[in-house]
Amino acid sequence: MDGLSMLARFYWGPDQELCEDLASPAYRDLFSRLARIVPDAAPTLRSIQAYLQNAPSSEALCLELETAYVATHVNPPAGNGAPLYHSCYVGDGLVMGPPAGAMALRLEQAGLSLGEKSGEPPDHLAVELEYLIFILEEGLAGRREWGLEEAGEMAARFMLPWVKDFVIRQAEASSPMLPMFASLLTAMLQEVAKEAFPSEQRA
């Protein structure tokens, strides 16, 4: 859950507080725990840690990440980049497509709202991650009988198909941290997906 929360923070947009946290002892411990929980992500986590250790300062890291984030996810050259919206990866690739409606329905049925993020479409990657965290917490706490299975279904069939394209599209990002975080995202979604569809994830 902590790993998914870190990814949600990153995909809302890196800031100075996140960059300081990434280099903190607490996050070094988080990376170590994630490597044990999600073995497929261990090589990526080691690469992330090595890159963070070589960063000259949290300020320099933040400038690098913010610049790469905007150029890759927010204002990429025409026809390039990796938008943060699920709808951009299906059908005509237009914002507010069917995935946005599907996420809006999920949020409504769960009694959730976008709150201060209401200016963003409901199929923003960070929104999908925060919803995934919510249903995982509900399932683990026993408040939502099918919470874990629902989380597995969402990771396997709703998120992973478009996230895999999202990963491919940022291979040329100006900061290697972006493709590394994208790789970590894929590995963590695959781990969640195993809860509901283990045979699909082995295929």
Side-chain angles (χ1 to χ4, degrees):
M1 228 82 78
D2 290 341
L4 291 171
S5 296
M6 175 190 67
L7 289 169
R9 286 182 67 188
F10 180 79
Y11 287 116
W12 277 128
D15 55 25
Q16 187 60 42
E17 183 179 2
L18 173 61
C19 293
E20 291 172 0
D21 286 345
L22 287 172
S24 70
Y27 267 58
R28 285 197 294 272
D29 177 65
L30 171 60
F31 292 143
S32 297
R33 287 188 286 121
L34 284 175
R36 293 193 297 271
I37 297 169
V38 190
D40 289 348
T44 298
L45 288 160
R46 287 194 292 270
S47 296
I48 291 173
Q49 287 183 289
Y51 194 81
L52 291 172
Q53 288 170 0
N54 289 324
S57 66
S58 62
E59 291 79 11
L61 176 66
C62 193
L63 178 60
E64 173 189 327
L65 292 181
E66 287 178 338
T67 301
Y69 180 92
V70 170
T72 303
H73 301 311
V74 180
N75 190 27
N80 296 311
L84 292 160
Y85 308 110
H86 188 159
S87 294
C88 293
Y89 299 83
V90 300
D92 295 329
L94 300 177
V95 177
M96 294 302 293
M103 267 309 300
L105 181 60
R106 287 178 188 259
L107 293 170
E108 180 183 351
Q109 290 177 336
L112 302 173
S113 69
L114 291 175
E116 63 181 27
K117 306 296 185 181
S118 58
E120 291 288 356
D123 61 341
H124 188 291
L125 175 55
V127 175
E128 292 191 0
L129 284 169
E130 289 181 354
Y131 178 77
L132 182 63
I133 294 166
F134 169 77
I135 55 177
L136 280 169
E137 289 175 340
E138 292 288 286
L140 290 169
R143 293 188 296 268
R144 195 179 182 95
E145 185 176 356
W146 302 106
L148 296 180
E149 184 175 345
E150 183 180 350
E153 184 276 334
M154 181 169 178
R157 295 181 176 172
F158 190 71
M159 294 185 71
L160 272 170
W162 82 268
V163 164
K164 289 178 179 178
D165 192 9
F166 171 77
V167 172
I168 293 169
R169 291 196 197 186
Q170 54 191 298
E172 303 300 321
S174 60
S175 170
M177 283 287 284
L178 267 65
M180 286 193 287
F181 264 74
S183 177
L184 176 61
L185 170 64
T186 300
M188 294 189 65
L189 289 176
Q190 288 173 334
E191 191 68 22
V192 174
K194 291 177 184 176
E195 293 293 332
F197 305 109
S199 60
E200 290 185 14
Q201 300 311 304
R202 287 196 297 268

